[in-house]
Amino acid sequence: MPHQSSPYESGPLREITGVTIRPGGLTLTDRALDFCRFTPGAQLLDVGCGAGATVEHLSRHYGFVARGVDLSQLMIAEGLGRNPSLSLTVAAAESLPCAADSMNGLLCECVLSLLDEPCVALAEFYRVLHNGGYLILSDMYDRNPADGVGTAARPRGMESRWQVETWLAESGFVTQVWEDHTPLLRELAAHLILAHGSLEGLCCSAGSAGQRPGYYLLVARKQRD
């Protein structure tokens, strides 16, 4: 079967965001790192790393030992072509090629909402993190205030804050930071419309009536045994 290109490999979204492929680029990454205060040499994993922009940023600007995994062979090849020294591997979020308790921190930026089995991925994140390790998430969510209701009617990628935090708690994480950064999503949407006349490639454009697409930054910590 021929490979089907995704909006994250090419197309209008890539043209607007460049190699980071998410609202705000590295801005929220740096904000989360300011909170976590990892020491130089910390072991960090970027899940859904794309072409490795965050991995490169973590190692070059912070001195962390950073690795990245992504399902897209094309994205991994692009990252290694740009910088062969990056540690990038083709792997799924639900089955990470990492030993248990091996990571000080794990980043999953604009990826959790795309997964078919987010709770399976969260269980993997918990497995590979040290006790007390940090999980950094940034992603889209539904800002509709009807939190706590069933999510069967929501399309994938549009869960509520309540649902995301419930998943985390059930997976053994304690949420320490939740910030709404919806203006970054609006800014990206405006650039897409101005450049291409549509929201092609932006998954929140498929939201149903009554939904209020938003974008969040979340930092959680693996509970100590």
Side-chain angles (χ1 to χ4, degrees):
M1 180 181 295
H3 174 76
Q4 298 294 317
S5 177
S6 82
Y8 302 97
E9 293 173 340
S10 62
L13 188 62
R14 284 296 307 271
E15 293 175 19
I16 297 298
T17 63
V19 72
T20 56
I21 327 177
R22 60 179 178 271
L26 294 166
T27 302
L28 297 188
T29 306
D30 289 331
R31 185 170 179 82
L33 293 173
D34 284 343
F35 176 84
C36 297
R37 297 191 179 278
F38 298 111
T39 57
Q43 300 276 338
L44 301 186
L45 179 69
D46 183 18
V47 177
C49 66
T54 296
V55 174
E56 189 169 28
H57 185 64
L58 294 172
S59 57
R60 175 177 294 177
H61 294 279
Y62 289 95
F64 301 141
V65 179
R67 301 170 55 189
V69 298
D70 198 283
L71 269 182
S72 171
Q73 295 182 358
L74 288 178
M75 297 295 285
I76 294 295
E78 177 185 332
L80 292 175
R82 190 183 72 253
N83 185 346
S85 70
L86 296 177
S87 179
L88 306 179
T89 305
V90 177
E94 299 87 350
S95 183
L96 298 173
C98 304
D101 305 316
S102 60
M103 294 291 157
N104 300 108
L106 188 149
L107 300 92
C108 185
E109 300 173 302
C110 218
V111 171
L112 189 70
S113 63
L114 303 176
L115 302 178
D116 291 326
E117 298 182 288
C119 291
V120 175
L122 288 173
E124 270 291 271
F125 299 170
Y126 185 90
R127 181 185 68 83
V128 304
L129 280 169
H130 288 310
N131 285 336
Y134 286 101
L135 170 63
I136 297 169
L137 299 176
S138 58
D139 217 323
M140 299 182 195
Y141 77 111
D142 183 2
R143 294 187 298 137
N144 191 304
D147 288 340
V149 301
T151 58
R154 288 189 176 101
R156 186 176 66 178
M158 291 300 294
E159 302 295 351
S160 67
R161 172 179 178 174
W162 175 88
Q163 182 65 80
V164 174
E165 292 190 314
T166 297
W167 283 342
L168 286 166
E170 291 174 347
S171 300
F173 291 98
V174 177
T175 299
Q176 300 199 324
V177 173
W178 175 290
E179 295 180 347
D180 180 90
H181 289 277
T182 300
L184 293 177
L185 180 61
R186 295 195 187 110
E187 181 180 346
L188 175 56
H191 284 310
L192 279 169
I193 291 173
L194 285 173
H196 299 282
S198 76
L199 293 174
E200 180 184 350
L202 199 60
C203 68
C204 72
S205 62
S208 61
Q211 291 182 323
R212 300 170 62 212
Y215 197 75
Y216 69 86
L217 171 67
L218 181 151
V219 179
R221 202 166 192 181
K222 177 178 176 177
Q223 287 183 318
R224 296 181 184 274
D225 294 337

